Amino acid sequence: MEKKIVLVTGIGGNVGQGILRNIKKTQFPIKIIGCNVTDFSAGNYLCDTFYKVPYAMDEDYISAINSIVENEKIDLIIPSTDYEVYYLSLYQNKLKTNVVVSGLETSKNYLDKYLTFLHHKKNNLPFAQSYLPGDYEKGKFENYIIKPREGRGSRGIHINPSDIKSFDDSYVVQELITGREITTAFYVSKEKTLHGFITLERKLENGATNECFVNRMYDKQLQDILEKMISCNHFIGSANLQSMVRENGEIVPFEINCRISGTNSIRSNFGFEDIKYTLEEHLYQIPPSEPNITDGSAIRIMLDIIYPHNSNISELKDNSSQHYIF
């Protein structure tokens, strides 16, 4: 394969770090450029070169990305955060290289949980019943959760707060559903068809998957939901459906991430290699490999990156400093 150069954004988070590890796992001849909003983060050691960039909503973000594209001759951009997906989709015509993002309307609808609810209701798709705080009638749900409409990673959530009216319309009220929590990663090919999916049942810690195992119990129901979602959206590449399963087996989606999700580093070891499919289709222009889902479970642990001769971590920029993993 021809040597290529790929830019991965948001390398400080678990999504970006998983993407970096999965790119290396493919053993494709790829130079990896990483970027983040801070000079140094956990993903730096996985990159060949690193750049600091503004936040995605900053007016200088696109020009900063284009500067990296020109300096490094980037062949493909793979974003790892929700806001970057949206803004890279919004300004796609200004980018000087290819980027893997879904269509603008789809990216917008799935950035905002209340817009997601309205979109799914309009298209007769399942989604957790949602209200703006000002529209919620007391007693509608026995238990409820209030979360930011554009929040992520379980930040800013409130369970059964006494004064719902104190929250403005940047929040959404949803029923607090008990049952199994599942996360379903799926990949949409260039032909706009469902290339495959995998479901993990999981336990969360600080909003991210800590323990999980492959669960195929709901594959038929989930395939129906995913195919209907694809038919009324413009997904490109990998996306993620988060759901609760009630005791009666009803699947209730409560969030859709229009991007590669945080379990990408886990699921590639269970036969669903959505980073590889992304590179095959959008970088090398070849058909994506077929998924081959296997059973298994996983748990995440912490590790340390040691820089023995650097006393000041703020001086570290990329992978050029001597380091080892412990």
Side-chain angles (χ1 to χ4, degrees):
M1 284 182 168
E2 181 184 352
K3 181 74 178 278
K4 298 285 187 178
I5 305 173
V6 173
L7 172 63
V8 179
T9 76
I11 63 163
N14 67 314
V15 181
Q17 291 166 44
I19 293 171
L20 297 173
R21 294 202 299 273
N22 271 316
I23 292 175
K24 290 179 175 290
K25 180 185 174 184
T26 66
Q27 297 188 338
F28 293 162
I30 294 173
K31 179 181 180 181
I32 304 174
I33 312 300
C35 68
N36 198 18
V37 296
T38 58
D39 279 314
F40 191 79
S41 60
N44 287 47
Y45 86 100
L46 291 164
C47 301
D48 296 298
T49 304
F50 169 81
Y51 288 84
K52 182 179 178 180
V53 296
Y55 284 96
M57 61 286 294
D58 191 289
E59 62 180 8
D60 295 326
Y61 175 74
I62 295 299
S63 62
I65 293 295
N66 275 331
S67 177
I68 298 171
V69 170
E70 292 179 326
N71 288 342
E72 299 291 343
K73 297 180 173 55
I74 302 295
D75 295 299
L76 186 70
I77 302 171
I78 302 178
S80 76
T81 71
D82 299 284
Y83 282 110
E84 286 176 306
V85 166
Y86 172 72
Y87 283 100
L88 289 170
S89 182
L90 178 63
Y91 296 110
Q92 191 167 1
N93 64 336
K94 294 186 178 181
L95 294 173
K96 298 181 179 181
T97 193
N98 294 324
V99 59
V100 186
V101 288
S102 294
L104 179 58
E105 186 175 357
T106 297
S107 300
K108 181 179 179 180
N109 283 336
Y110 290 122
L111 179 65
D112 182 321
K113 296 176 185 65
Y114 188 64
L115 292 184
T116 304
F117 164 69
L118 295 177
H119 178 64
H120 277 227
K121 183 177 181 181
K122 176 183 176 182
N123 289 281
N124 198 29
L125 286 163
F127 194 77
Q129 183 72 32
S130 303
Y131 296 90
L132 297 178
D135 297 332
Y136 179 76
E137 297 177 8
K138 188 175 181 180
K140 186 72 175 177
F141 301 134
E142 182 177 354
N143 292 291
Y144 53 89
I145 182 169
I146 296 182
K147 58 182 79 171
R149 288 169 59 169
E150 298 182 357
R152 60 213 180 279
S154 297
R155 302 185 190 113
I157 66 171
H158 304 265
I159 296 175
N160 294 328
S162 57
D163 186 10
I164 294 178
K165 302 302 181 185
S166 65
F167 294 89
D168 62 26
D169 284 352
S170 66
Y171 288 83
V172 65
V173 185
Q174 292 181 344
E175 179 185 5
L176 182 62
I177 301 169
T178 58
R180 298 174 183 237
E181 180 166 346
I182 58 175
T183 179
T184 304
F186 61 101
Y187 187 89
V188 180
S189 70
K190 285 184 175 181
E191 284 71 35
K192 300 181 181 179
T193 60
L194 179 63
H195 182 65
F197 67 95
I198 186 172
T199 296
L200 302 175
E201 185 171 337
R202 64 180 182 167
K203 293 181 181 179
L204 297 178
E205 185 173 298
N206 298 321
T209 299
N210 183 46
E211 300 176 33
C212 63
F213 64 88
V214 177
N215 186 330
R216 307 194 203 200
M217 291 174 57
Y218 312 107
D219 279 6
K220 179 60 173 66
Q221 295 162 266
L222 287 164
Q223 183 169 341
D224 289 343
I225 292 171
L226 294 174
E227 288 179 343
K228 289 176 183 175
M229 284 175 56
I230 292 168
S231 70
C232 59
N233 285 289
H234 185 200
F235 289 111
I236 294 177
S238 186
N240 173 253
L241 175 73
Q242 297 181 39
S243 310
M244 295 298 297
V245 184
R246 297 185 192 270
E247 289 186 4
N248 64 2
E250 179 190 5
I251 296 173
V252 184
F254 62 87
E255 183 174 334
I256 291 93
N257 302 123
C258 202
R259 54 165 171 78
I260 296 164
S261 72
T263 58
N264 72 83
S265 57
I266 294 173
R267 58 182 179 256
S268 67
N269 293 283
F270 298 139
F272 190 79
E273 301 180 272
D274 48 342
I275 310 306
K276 184 179 181 181
Y277 313 149
T278 300
L279 297 172
E280 289 171 331
E281 273 207 307
H282 296 276
L283 185 62
Y284 289 104
Q285 314 304 320
I286 61 176
S289 304
E290 288 297 322
N292 181 25
I293 310 302
T294 61
D295 292 328
S297 59
I299 186 168
R300 280 183 164 144
I301 65 170
M302 292 181 64
L303 57 79
D304 303 308
I305 314 300
I306 309 298
Y307 296 85
H309 302 299
N310 291 84
S311 59
N312 189 349
I313 200 167
S314 65
E315 296 174 356
L316 300 171
K317 299 295 182 185
D318 53 37
N319 202 22
S320 60
S321 300
Q322 180 185 349
H323 66 275
Y324 61 89
I325 303 172
F326 180 75

